[in-house]
Amino acid sequence: MGNWIINHGLTSFILVVWMGINIFLFVWFYFFYDLGPQFFYTRHLLGSALAWARAPAAVLNFNCLLILLPVCRNLLSLIRGSFMCCGRTMRKQLDKNLSFHKLVAYMIGLMTAVHMIAHLLNVEWYNNSRQGVYDKLSTALSNLEDTDSTTYLNPIRKTDIIPTYFVFTTIAGLTGVIITLALILIITSSMEVIRRSYFEVFWYTHHLFIIFFAGLVFHGAGRIVRSQQTTDPVHNVTFCKDRSDEWGRIPECPIPQFAGGFPQTWMWVIGPMILYLCERLVRFIRYMQRVTYRKIVMRPSKVLELQLVKSGFKMEVGQYVFLNCPAISQLEWHPFTMTSAPEEDFFSVHIRSAGDWTDKLIDIVQKLPEGAQGPKMGVDGPFGTASEDVFDYEVSMLVGAGIGVTPFASILKSIWYKFKESNPKLRTRKIYFYWLCRETHAFEWFADLLQVLEKEMEERGMGDFLTYKLYLTGWDQSTAHHVRVRFDQDTDAVTGLKQKTHYGRPIWDKEFEQVRKENPTSVVGTFLCGPEALGKVLEKKCVKYSDVDPRKTKFYFNKENF
């Protein structure tokens, strides 16, 4: 339990607070509408569906307030920078922004379904009351009329109207349909199978959030749910509910007056909407800034390296940027971790062929004349990630899978520069680096960097500073034969490094046990850029091998999220 608290305590506390607020809002507004005397006549027409419609609406307001904040990347980077004086556990919560964004979206989807079903029932019951299907009181309440038609209770004002027509001709009904359709498209296109295979579908449909929020702002303007107003003399519900024939004829029972509630949703979402507009304005300004190519290199295994220069661009290790190529698409932006170090006068990204957009970019670059500038490129960023905190730990475990090695290229380059400049601020005294890859060619573009680091550490007598292990998880017969022939050589047959390549996958229990044994009193930061399944394994190992005793080894798990 202690190990679990170390790694997940604050995250769980935030989720409990979030869920607690949701439950509180639901229960509070449910009883407000289910027990409130001003809604006695409304409940008579609608029953419990009134409370079941309004309680989810309150929860929706709260979550629609939150949904945009986790995707305000510049805001999160600003907060991360402001929190540098605070604990790493607090900053680590910012790396879970997309997970929280999804969680809030699920809550919005669930509450929308409940809210929609309850209101569909409400429309049916309003219509039945108007038709005189129910009791005498329901009919009397539905027939209430006034000269300006403003103090009625039943929003269906005609007896010959059909519910479907009412839904599509009122502000609340029409905006509700638009909001629901937009939300269905947003959520379904966000499924992982669609997001990975048809990213463009996900990207474009996700921008229906503009329509969603526009509809949300106007949704409450219809004021469909109405409450009883105070009159002089007072209309006593207890005395008058069975005397509907005498309303307006005796002083004790004046005609009841009703009014719709003031729209509140816009007050919940206006702040986040303004913040998000500022976010998009910053992104647009960055997009307009000129970007030039310093170097374009086509690496093996269809990995494209772009070295770019942009005026005023400043980065930290492990950060990422969003790239836009108007020649491919004016609207699509894709995230890429930078592989350059902050000490360099340019920034670089390595782009692997992984879909339509990357394939088109690689095709454009391959057709360029030698020495020519590449296509126009928009750059948004840099944005902070978990890898920024690498140098805050005495010991770091870096785990990359495939192209997920990119943030660690930036980190290892920065270490090389720090040693070269004898930087006194470098707190890190030991780094363990693990790279899992399926293809031998994928090692080639990164092997040069590791060779330079190997040589640098040996010359400075710090060969123990960097321990790296490369794992080839897929190979064929020719690879196996090649390795067998060169087995006795000093350098590895695959990478040319002194450290021999391992075949298969790491035995993580053995690796964590070794790190704990070699660093008995250290705080170890474990950083992953790779698949979710591997993340779950490493997260469990961090919990398993952490010790509650502050004098012993503790592991903190950090994962890159895009």
Side-chain angles (χ1 to χ4, degrees):
M1 179 60 73
N3 292 343
W4 182 87
I5 291 173
I6 288 174
N7 282 279
H8 304 290
L10 184 57
T11 301
S12 300
F13 174 75
I14 292 172
L15 291 179
V16 167
V17 170
W18 171 73
M19 183 58 73
I21 294 174
N22 281 306
I23 293 172
F24 170 78
L25 287 171
F26 190 96
V27 172
W28 174 272
F29 280 92
Y30 182 90
F31 286 112
F32 177 77
Y33 285 94
D34 197 52
L35 300 177
Q38 68 272 41
F39 296 103
F40 179 87
Y41 283 141
T42 313
R43 286 195 300 272
H44 186 81
L45 292 186
L46 305 178
S48 60
L50 170 65
W52 278 103
R54 298 309 301 156
V59 179
L60 280 169
N61 286 340
F62 172 62
N63 285 278
C64 288
L65 177 150
L66 297 176
I67 192 71
L68 288 178
L69 299 180
V71 292
C72 290
R73 296 189 292 267
N74 288 290
L75 176 64
L76 295 180
S77 295
L78 178 64
I79 294 174
R80 172 181 282 278
S82 302
F83 277 9
M84 289 304 288
C85 59
C86 304
R88 61 173 69 94
T89 305
M90 176 65 76
R91 296 199 305 274
K92 196 165 73 169
Q93 305 313 308
L94 299 176
D95 301 320
K96 302 180 186 294
N97 62 316
L98 292 185
S99 297
F100 186 66
H101 176 74
K102 293 174 186 176
L103 197 62
V104 172
Y106 293 147
M107 181 63 76
I108 289 175
L110 174 62
M111 291 297 106
T112 298
V114 176
H115 180 74
M116 179 184 65
I117 292 170
H119 267 320
L120 287 175
L121 293 173
N122 288 337
V123 170
E124 184 67 23
W125 288 330
Y126 269 140
N127 185 60
N128 288 344
S129 296
R130 188 69 188 178
Q131 303 296 330
V133 174
Y134 301 134
D135 58 13
K136 178 182 176 183
L137 178 58
S138 297
T139 303
L141 289 169
S142 298
N143 290 333
L144 286 175
E145 192 63 85
D146 66 286
T147 54
D148 298 321
S149 193
T150 56
T151 61
Y152 57 86
L153 174 57
N154 192 332
I156 296 180
R157 309 306 302 143
K158 299 178 181 179
T159 57
D160 58 347
I161 195 172
I162 58 174
T164 306
Y165 178 81
F166 173 79
V167 168
F168 283 95
T169 55
T170 58
I171 294 175
L174 186 58
T175 56
V177 170
I178 293 171
I179 289 170
T180 304
L181 289 176
L183 189 63
I184 290 172
L185 289 171
I186 290 171
I187 292 177
T188 54
S189 66
S190 300
M191 296 170 62
E192 187 171 359
V193 63
I194 294 178
R195 195 172 68 248
R196 291 191 177 277
S197 302
Y198 307 97
F199 184 83
E200 292 80 3
V201 174
F202 158 75
W203 183 261
Y204 289 122
T205 55
H206 225 64
H207 282 75
L208 290 173
F209 80 92
I210 299 171
I211 295 175
F212 175 84
F213 273 91
L216 201 64
V217 168
F218 292 103
H219 184 57
R223 305 192 181 195
I224 294 297
V225 176
R226 305 172 71 82
S227 61
Q228 186 178 348
Q229 304 298 295
T230 303
T231 56
D232 186 21
V234 175
H235 179 98
N236 189 315
V237 171
T238 306
F239 178 77
C240 299
K241 62 184 177 66
D242 297 322
R243 295 176 169 83
S244 58
D245 291 339
E246 302 178 34
W247 289 354
R249 298 178 181 177
I250 60 174
E252 295 84 354
C253 295
I255 296 175
Q257 307 289 301
F258 298 90
F262 182 75
Q264 296 183 351
T265 300
W266 68 271
M267 293 188 290
W268 287 82
V269 300
I270 191 67
M273 287 172 68
I274 291 173
L275 280 175
Y276 191 78
L277 283 173
C278 293
E279 170 86 10
R280 296 308 290 249
L281 178 62
V282 171
R283 293 184 195 179
F284 178 74
I285 293 172
R286 284 177 169 170
Y287 169 72
M288 296 302 293
Q289 293 175 328
R290 186 168 179 266
V291 177
T292 56
Y293 290 81
R294 182 178 181 271
K295 193 175 183 182
I296 300 174
V297 183
M298 196 67 213
R299 299 289 185 181
S301 221
K302 291 201 80 174
V303 174
L304 173 66
E305 180 185 357
L306 301 179
Q307 296 182 8
L308 306 171
V309 178
K310 184 179 179 182
S311 178
F313 189 91
K314 294 181 180 179
M315 62 167 286
E316 297 293 335
V317 293
Q319 290 187 325
Y320 67 97
V321 292
F322 274 77
L323 299 184
N324 169 268
C325 182
I328 301 174
S329 172
Q330 290 280 352
L331 300 177
E332 284 185 52
W333 291 81
H334 294 263
F336 295 96
T337 304
M338 289 179 287
T339 53
S340 53
E343 291 83 359
E344 294 174 314
D345 60 356
F346 64 92
F347 64 97
S348 64
V349 293
H350 283 70
I351 301 172
R352 177 172 59 90
S353 174
D356 292 343
W357 192 90
T358 52
D359 287 342
K360 289 175 183 176
L361 179 61
I362 291 172
D363 186 56
I364 290 172
V365 169
Q366 286 178 328
K367 293 178 180 178
L368 289 173
E370 188 173 348
Q373 282 280 305
K376 180 183 177 183
M377 191 69 70
V379 176
D380 184 22
F383 301 110
T385 66
S387 297
E388 283 186 61
D389 298 334
V390 163
F391 297 133
D392 291 338
Y393 293 91
E394 299 171 346
V395 179
S396 292
M397 292 177 67
L398 313 180
V399 183
I403 199 66
V405 75
T406 48
F408 307 132
S410 173
I411 292 166
L412 295 177
K413 282 182 181 178
S414 185
I415 288 171
W416 183 77
Y417 280 107
K418 284 177 168 55
F419 276 119
K420 192 175 180 180
E421 299 167 3
S422 300
N423 192 324
K425 296 181 180 179
L426 183 62
R427 291 178 52 193
T428 308
R429 55 179 179 79
K430 179 70 176 177
I431 284 183
Y432 298 85
F433 174 56
Y434 304 85
W435 189 12
L436 289 65
C437 209
R438 291 182 181 178
E439 302 172 329
T440 56
H441 294 297
F443 285 116
E444 295 176 15
W445 73 271
F446 198 66
D448 293 341
L449 172 61
L450 290 176
Q451 285 177 351
V452 171
L453 284 170
E454 259 187 352
K455 183 179 179 181
E456 183 74 19
M457 300 306 170
E458 285 181 0
E459 289 178 354
R460 295 177 178 271
M462 299 185 67
D464 293 334
F465 177 85
L466 175 65
T467 297
Y468 64 91
K469 296 182 180 181
L470 311 182
Y471 290 85
L472 185 61
T473 59
W475 60 89
D476 54 25
Q477 191 63 37
S478 62
T479 303
H481 176 72
H482 180 63
V483 170
R484 189 162 52 246
V485 170
R486 299 185 58 185
F487 181 77
D488 294 332
Q489 295 187 9
D490 293 336
T491 57
D492 183 64
V494 176
T495 63
L497 297 165
K498 291 184 179 180
Q499 172 68 52
K500 295 298 181 75
T501 298
H502 300 266
Y503 296 89
R505 300 181 184 278
I507 302 173
W508 291 113
D509 284 301
K510 180 181 176 182
E511 300 300 333
F512 273 82
E513 187 61 54
Q514 180 183 350
V515 172
R516 185 169 69 173
K517 183 179 178 180
E518 294 177 359
N519 306 276
T521 61
S522 299
V523 176
V524 181
T526 304
F527 296 85
L528 168 68
C529 188
E532 194 67 37
L534 180 57
K536 291 178 180 178
V537 172
L538 293 178
E539 195 167 15
K540 289 179 181 177
K541 300 306 177 187
C542 286
V543 172
K544 179 179 179 180
Y545 289 95
S546 289
D547 200 300
V548 180
D549 188 338
R551 297 168 295 179
K552 296 184 179 180
T553 308
K554 292 184 288 295
F555 292 86
Y556 286 88
F557 179 72
N558 304 270
K559 185 181 184 302
E560 299 290 319
N561 294 291
F562 298 107

